[in-house]
């Protein structure tokens, strides 16, 4: 993937706008968990974990959608596209078994794995890896700030 900057296909404006809007719940929930009033920290953590689960489900759905567009969809890719949503649900439901630091670490890890898959794959539009890098960075930073707070608790 050695494309020259002048040869880059631009990300459509609507995709950028809505992509950036998807970061707002990460930033707000993480901010409330880290810096909000003590009574809001628990609900903010639940919101951050729930939204992370929803976004992993979305990303798995995108990966599945790219695959079913093929004449012969690959079984392995379809199956692997289910893992991020399942991991999100397991991490979300693991609140009783795992502490917040483990949950946030798990989400951070799964987002990074999904990003790695998305940027090394040649599926979808040429601009997709750049967009995924920016959006994953925003989500990962929000999760990392919340993780730092959870480790301090």
């Amino acid at each position: 993937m050695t494309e020259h900057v002048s040869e880059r296909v631009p990300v459509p404006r609507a995709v950028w706008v809505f992509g950036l809007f998807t970061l707002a719940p990460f930033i707000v929930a993480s901010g409330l968990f880290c810096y909000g009033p003590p009574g809001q920290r628990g609900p903010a953590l639940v919101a951050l974990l729930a939204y992370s689960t929803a976004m992993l489900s979305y990303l798995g759905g995108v990966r599945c959608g790219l695959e079913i567009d093929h004449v012969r969809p690959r079984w392995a890719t379809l199956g692997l596209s289910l893992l991020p949503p399942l991991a999100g649900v397991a991490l979300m439901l693991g609140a009783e078994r795992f502490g917040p630091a483990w949950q946030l670490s798990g989400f951070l890890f799964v987002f990074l794995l999904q990003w790695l898959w998305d940027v090394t794959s040649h599926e979808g539009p040429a601009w997709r890896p750049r967009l995924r890098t920016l959006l994953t960075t925003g989500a990962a930073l929000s999760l990392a700030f919340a993780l730092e707070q959870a480790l301090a608790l």
Side-chain angles (χ1 to χ4, degrees):
M1 184 159 255
T2 58
E3 64 183 18
H4 190 270
V5 174
S6 64
E7 298 170 358
R8 286 188 178 174
V9 176
V11 178
R13 184 176 306 243
V15 175
W16 270 123
V17 169
F18 285 106
L20 291 173
F21 277 141
T22 66
L23 293 179
F26 282 112
I27 296 166
V28 170
S30 179
L32 283 172
F33 178 66
C34 293
Y35 307 110
Q40 293 298 311
R41 290 184 180 163
L45 177 63
V46 170
L48 181 59
L49 298 174
Y51 189 67
S52 294
T53 301
M55 289 310 296
L56 287 175
S57 296
Y58 171 77
L59 294 171
V62 168
R63 174 56 63 183
C64 182
L66 289 170
E67 187 60 32
I68 62 173
D69 193 38
H70 294 185
V71 174
R72 296 181 148 250
R74 298 167 289 195
W75 285 80
T77 303
L78 290 172
L80 288 172
S81 71
L82 294 174
L83 294 181
L86 291 175
V89 169
L91 286 164
M92 186 73 192
L93 295 177
E96 294 295 322
R97 184 169 191 116
F98 310 113
W102 282 104
Q103 288 176 292
L104 291 163
S105 297
F107 275 110
L108 187 55
F109 181 69
V110 176
F111 270 104
L112 292 176
L113 285 178
Q114 181 70 48
W115 168 80
L116 187 61
W117 187 16
D118 287 343
V119 299
T120 58
S121 166
H122 298 289
E123 303 285 332
W127 47 260
R128 187 167 180 264
R130 290 192 317 275
L131 179 72
R132 288 288 299 118
T133 298
L134 175 77
L135 298 179
T136 299
T137 299
L141 285 173
S142 296
L143 289 165
F145 274 103
L147 174 59
E148 190 276 331
Q149 179 67 29
L151 289 170
L153 294 178

